[in-house]
């Protein structure tokens, strides 16, 4: 009887979760199973979230981080909480200060949008393009049916490069989270396209790279205001932006792959040596996991849970000041009190205590190392070539438990730090 009640309760919780992010009926059988369930007393609820602000709107970030690290965030408040986790807002700011900043950011976004719309008028219309607007040599393509105004900017390299990326964004948009009912509505797809197009215009140094759509999509779904979604995405990209930088000879993500190789050499030399023998010592098979933060390995809901717990564990209270000053904010190395340390995430707190503030050994690297450790025997016994490694790692899709993966990552981190110290 008790088992029956628990079973019904578990099914109801899953149904409740999926009511926030409904799956198309024809895709139900093909999406990974969702394991995350909000737990009373552990998951950050709307009531707890609202109670964490004082009368002026300042946030008790230490209490919020504790909750998230124990049980994630309830879907009803994810967007609002993410804005703080990603450093969009300072927890010590007042409600009025945040409202003023939000207003300025919305104005800035709308200004960029108008700028882009003058060059490509389809932006902001609820439609988007999937065919090239111009050829590689900068000549307009007339067959796509999109009228483009004459502009003095036509010869400008930035404009030309940007236009070349817009149809690729469109092709990726229609493939993004297509199992979700949300994206059955073309207006929502267009919103994702607009946001990525404008981000690519603003960050022309790196431009658009496939995978950015997977990081942007949850922001579009969680935050109703397009400008707010943009700034949330822009702050998320600050954490992973360098992974997307590439040229003819290298990819930005190789820096993290190098750290992964170093970690595996220390924590599991036997497996590292085996992979090196298969020509896999550069860990290129882990590129996708690091680029899109495990979006493809988990269900939509579980991926969001993984991200928010990772961000909570990596949280640094100096993040907002650092972003606001474009990295020139100087953090003076002093011994921090226990109270101040509570404002750091669990993972970041250990780094600070150990004197490591380089921010390079991100938790995502240890997550990959943890996954490799769980597949240790299979890789050692069955992997005879890189194709086997890719298949074994590919088979984890839908079978990973986000909470266990995070626990394993912290264990690997501790093991690495202890061995590296010795």
């Amino acid at each position: 009887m008790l088992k029956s009640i628990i079973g019904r309760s578990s099914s109801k919780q899953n149904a409740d979760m999926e009511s926030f992010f409904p799956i198309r009926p024809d895709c139900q059988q093909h999406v990974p199973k969702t394991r995350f369930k909000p737990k009373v007393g552990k998951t950050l609820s709307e009531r707890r979230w609202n109670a964490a602000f004082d009368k002026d709107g300042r946030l008790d970030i230490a209490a919020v981080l504790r909750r998230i690290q124990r049980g994630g965030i309830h879907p009803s408040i994810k967007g609002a909480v993410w804005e703080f986790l990603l450093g969009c807002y300072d927890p010590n700011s007042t409600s009025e200060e945040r409202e003023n900043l939000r207003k300025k950011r919305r104005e800035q976004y709308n200004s960029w949008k108008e700028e882009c719309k003058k060059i490509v008028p389809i932006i902001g219309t609820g439609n988007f393009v999937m065919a090239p607007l111009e050829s590689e040599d900068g000549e307009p393509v007339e067959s796509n049916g999109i009228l483009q105004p004459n502009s003095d900017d036509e010869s400008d390299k930035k404009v030309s490069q940007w236009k070349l990326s817009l149809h690729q964004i469109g092709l990726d948009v229609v493939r993004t989270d297509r199992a979700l009912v949300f994206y059955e509505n073309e207006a929502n797809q267009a919103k994702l396209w607009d946001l990525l197009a404008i981000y690519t215009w603003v960050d022309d140094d790196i431009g658009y790279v496939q995978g950015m759509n997977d990081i942007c999509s949850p922001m579009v779904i969680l935050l109703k205001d397009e400008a707010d979604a943009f700034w949330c995405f822009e702050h998320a990209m600050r954490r992973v932006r360098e992974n997307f930088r590439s040229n003819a000879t290298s990819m930005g993500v190789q820096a993290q792959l190098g750290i992964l190789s170093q970690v595996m050499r220390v924590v599991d030399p036997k497996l590292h040596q085996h992979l090196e023998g298969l020509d896999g010592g550069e860990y290129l098979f882990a590129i996708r996991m690091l680029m899109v933060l495990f979006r493809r390995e988990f269900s939509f809901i579980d991926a969001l849970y993984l991200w928010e717990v990772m961000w909570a564990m990596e949280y640094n209270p100096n993040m907002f000041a650092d972003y606001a000053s474009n990295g020139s904010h100087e953090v003076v190395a002093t011994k921090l009190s226990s109270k101040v340390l509570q404002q750091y995430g669990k993972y970041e707190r250990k780094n600070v205590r150990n004197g490591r503030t380089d921010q390079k050994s991100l938790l995502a690297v240890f997550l990959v190392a943890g996954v490799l450790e769980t597949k240790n025997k299979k890789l050692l016994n069955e992997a005879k070539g890189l194709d086997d490694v890719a298949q074994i790692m590919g088979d984890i899709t839908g079978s990973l438990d986000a909470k266990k993966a995070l626990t394993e990552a912290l264990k690997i981190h501790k093991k690495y730090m202890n061995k590296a110290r010795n």
Side-chain angles (χ1 to χ4, degrees):
M1 179 72 177
L2 182 59
K3 281 185 180 177
S4 170
I5 292 169
I6 291 170
R8 284 200 300 272
S9 172
S10 178
S11 299
K12 184 178 183 301
Q13 283 181 325
N14 275 344
D16 287 347
M17 279 294 92
E18 282 160 15
S19 71
F20 283 94
F21 313 108
I23 305 291
R24 287 168 41 187
D26 57 318
C27 297
Q28 294 279 1
Q29 302 301 316
H30 309 293
V31 295
K33 177 188 169 190
T34 293
R35 295 166 188 267
F36 170 72
K37 300 178 186 71
K39 291 182 179 152
V40 177
K42 290 188 176 179
T43 302
L44 180 65
S45 65
E46 187 173 3
R47 184 181 66 80
R48 282 276 182 178
W49 171 245
N50 291 333
F53 292 91
D54 69 15
K55 61 182 176 61
D56 295 319
R58 293 183 176 87
L59 179 66
D60 180 357
I61 192 67
V64 166
L65 293 176
R66 281 196 301 273
R67 276 281 166 165
I68 299 169
Q69 289 168 156
R70 286 175 71 196
I73 304 167
H74 193 274
S76 60
I77 53 168
K78 277 185 192 290
V81 182
W82 281 20
E83 289 181 305
F84 283 89
L85 287 182
L86 291 167
C88 297
Y89 297 111
D90 184 350
N92 292 316
S93 62
T94 64
S95 301
E96 185 181 356
E97 286 167 341
R98 288 194 297 276
E99 202 47 50
N100 289 337
L101 181 54
R102 189 183 295 276
K103 187 181 174 187
K104 281 182 189 172
R105 284 180 176 159
R106 286 178 177 178
E107 287 170 357
Q108 176 64 79
Y109 177 75
N110 288 327
S111 170
W112 283 328
K113 191 171 184 177
E114 285 304 311
E115 205 175 313
C116 292
K117 198 169 181 175
K118 284 176 184 173
I119 305 167
V120 179
I122 196 173
I123 284 175
T125 64
N127 298 304
F128 58 97
V129 298
M130 288 188 287
L133 293 179
E134 63 181 39
S135 62
E136 293 285 342
D137 57 7
E139 290 299 314
V141 177
E142 296 176 10
S143 60
N144 57 39
I146 306 296
L147 293 173
Q148 297 177 61
N150 292 324
S151 166
D152 295 336
D153 293 325
E154 286 297 318
S155 59
D156 182 41
K157 188 180 176 186
K158 174 179 175 175
V159 172
S160 189
Q161 285 298 112
W162 178 63
K163 281 185 178 180
L164 283 171
S165 70
L166 296 181
H167 78 283
Q168 184 57 57
I169 295 174
L171 292 171
D172 288 344
V173 159
V174 295
R175 292 191 288 253
T176 306
D177 292 322
R178 54 187 170 189
L180 297 178
V181 169
F182 182 84
Y183 284 118
E184 285 186 312
N185 184 341
E186 194 174 318
N188 290 331
Q189 290 184 324
K191 185 177 172 184
L192 176 60
W193 184 80
D194 282 350
L195 206 149
L196 287 166
I198 293 160
Y199 177 81
T200 306
W201 172 254
V202 174
D203 188 5
D204 59 312
D205 180 33
I206 288 180
Y208 176 75
V209 180
Q210 199 172 48
M212 290 180 179
N213 51 311
D214 290 304
I215 294 171
C216 186
S217 172
M219 283 67 174
V220 171
I221 295 170
L222 293 172
L223 292 153
K224 287 181 181 176
D225 187 278
E226 189 179 311
D228 295 346
F230 172 87
W231 287 107
C232 195
F233 170 61
E234 191 268 347
H235 279 69
M237 282 300 297
R238 291 184 189 212
R239 306 172 72 91
V240 295
R241 179 177 176 271
E242 289 305 311
N243 282 353
F244 290 94
R245 187 185 292 280
S246 64
N247 56 40
T249 56
S250 68
M251 295 177 294
V253 74
Q254 282 176 320
Q256 284 196 341
L257 294 175
I259 295 168
L260 175 61
S261 177
Q262 183 184 323
V263 168
M264 291 305 296
R265 189 182 288 114
V266 170
V267 300
D268 194 340
K270 188 177 179 182
L271 179 57
H272 176 74
Q273 194 174 5
H274 178 65
L275 291 170
E276 271 199 321
L278 301 176
D279 227 9
E282 293 182 350
Y283 293 84
L284 297 178
F285 55 82
I287 284 177
R288 189 181 76 181
M289 291 182 195
L290 292 171
M291 290 279 279
V292 298
L293 299 175
F294 293 84
R295 269 301 312 271
R296 312 282 175 83
E297 280 67 41
F298 294 93
S299 72
F300 183 78
I301 294 169
D302 286 352
L304 304 196
Y305 165 75
L306 181 81
W307 286 6
E308 63 207 20
V309 179
M310 277 175 65
W311 294 336
M313 287 180 172
E314 292 177 329
Y315 187 80
N316 186 311
N318 299 305
M319 195 189 326
F320 175 81
D322 193 45
Y323 286 165
S325 63
N326 288 321
S328 62
H329 172 69
E330 189 176 341
V331 180
V332 181
T334 56
K335 189 171 181 183
L336 300 174
S337 68
S338 177
K339 186 178 179 182
V340 171
L341 277 171
Q342 292 308 308
Q343 295 173 26
Y344 287 77
K346 187 192 295 187
Y347 170 81
E348 183 63 9
R349 199 181 306 145
K350 286 179 185 173
N351 283 334
V352 169
R353 280 175 172 153
N354 289 321
R356 290 179 67 92
T357 55
D358 55 15
Q359 290 293 307
K360 286 178 185 171
S361 301
L362 296 174
L363 187 52
V365 170
F366 291 97
L367 268 166
V368 178
V371 170
L372 285 165
E373 281 297 273
T374 62
K375 295 294 177 184
N376 173 298
K377 286 182 183 174
K378 203 170 178 68
L379 287 164
L380 286 172
N381 296 330
E382 298 177 24
K384 310 299 180 192
L386 282 181
D387 286 347
D388 296 331
V389 174
Q391 182 166 345
I392 291 167
M393 296 304 285
D395 288 345
I396 67 173
T397 301
S399 65
L400 283 178
D401 182 306
K403 190 168 186 178
K404 287 179 182 174
L406 284 159
T407 303
E408 185 64 27
L410 290 176
K411 280 184 190 171
I412 298 286
H413 177 244
K414 186 178 181 181
K415 186 177 179 181
Y416 174 71
M417 294 300 288
N418 288 339
K419 287 200 171 188
R421 201 180 292 126
N422 296 331

